[in-house]
Amino acid sequence: MKRILLFCGMLLLTACASKIDNIKADKDTLSKIDEGYLLIGIETNRDLKAIYVDGPKSFILTAQDIRSGSNYILANLPLGEYTISRINLNNYSYLDLDDEKEQWQFTLAANKINYVGHLNITTRGFWYTASQIVLENKSSQAIEFVESNYPTILAGRSLNYGGPGEDLFFPFIEKTLTKQEVKQ
């Protein structure tokens, strides 16, 4: 009976979530006022099957997204609050992140590139796995990534930290750049 309920739960979870398109080209694709860019870094020592995110538009990051050339994903999504709810390590094991929801929540602001943190997943063991998962702020690395890979998008949008906790780096950089422009 437990297996049937688990299977039905998985069907329901995958039916409500959709796949998002990772932006590859440096072209600003935001067309609606109620959208923002999501920028998330993913670092893992194993191939992952999927990451489930719940929110105004629930979505799945698939193995193809996670294994792509870089460890960043940039996509445009509707505004609102999102929560990383589940990580499938493979076909048989998963990590449910419902216990400490506030630690896995992030918010997207309008017309900005919303960096939400780096999702670091370290898994040890083969048959009996143990995983350590952290969503941490690496703003300096994120800004370097966007500057080198998406300069056109960055020219028209500001960076915003939407992950858990506070970030003082993006406002500091923006203020510093503004002061330099005034001096010139």
Side-chain angles (χ1 to χ4, degrees):
M1 186 65 169
K2 283 185 180 181
R3 288 183 185 205
I4 292 171
L5 288 174
L6 182 63
F7 179 71
C8 290
M10 288 296 297
L11 281 176
L12 182 63
L13 188 61
T14 56
C16 298
S18 62
K19 187 179 174 311
I20 61 170
D21 293 325
N22 191 4
I23 297 171
K24 302 287 186 202
D26 185 21
K27 182 179 177 187
D28 198 342
T29 59
L30 279 185
S31 58
K32 299 178 184 172
I33 313 171
D34 61 341
E35 284 186 338
Y37 284 110
L38 162 72
L39 176 65
I40 186 169
I42 298 175
E43 295 181 17
T44 179
N45 64 340
R46 292 224 173 136
D47 291 337
L48 301 175
K49 185 77 174 168
I51 298 173
Y52 293 86
V53 181
D54 298 330
K57 177 183 179 182
S58 296
F59 63 91
I60 302 170
L61 299 173
T62 64
Q64 185 178 4
D65 296 324
I66 300 165
R67 285 190 215 139
S68 62
S70 73
N71 61 342
Y72 287 92
I73 293 173
L74 181 69
N76 51 336
L77 291 170
L79 304 179
E81 192 167 293
Y82 292 83
T83 305
I84 300 169
S85 60
R86 181 181 170 125
I87 299 171
N88 286 11
L89 300 173
N90 54 40
N91 288 334
Y92 307 105
S93 59
Y94 63 91
L95 304 167
D96 215 351
L97 304 177
D98 285 336
D99 293 341
E100 300 166 358
K101 273 190 170 183
E102 65 277 348
Q103 161 177 351
W104 309 110
Q105 290 179 337
F106 57 88
T107 306
L108 298 186
N111 297 315
K112 295 186 180 197
I113 301 170
N114 297 281
Y115 170 66
V116 299
H118 266 69
L119 186 61
N120 293 328
I121 306 161
T122 307
T123 305
R124 292 179 182 80
F126 185 73
W127 294 106
Y128 299 103
T129 60
S131 296
Q132 178 184 9
I133 307 165
V134 178
L135 184 60
E136 63 183 342
N137 184 356
K138 295 184 179 181
S139 297
S140 59
Q141 291 177 9
I143 198 167
E144 285 179 16
F145 172 77
V146 174
E147 284 176 339
S148 62
N149 293 293
Y150 299 100
T152 305
I153 296 174
L154 183 59
R157 309 284 176 182
S158 62
L159 279 164
N160 175 55
Y161 179 68
E166 287 186 56
D167 177 73
L168 302 175
F169 184 69
F170 289 151
F172 172 75
I173 291 294
E174 193 171 300
K175 190 184 303 181
T176 304
L177 291 174
T178 305
K179 285 181 182 177
Q180 287 177 356
E181 289 171 0
V182 169
K183 287 181 182 178
Q184 294 173 358

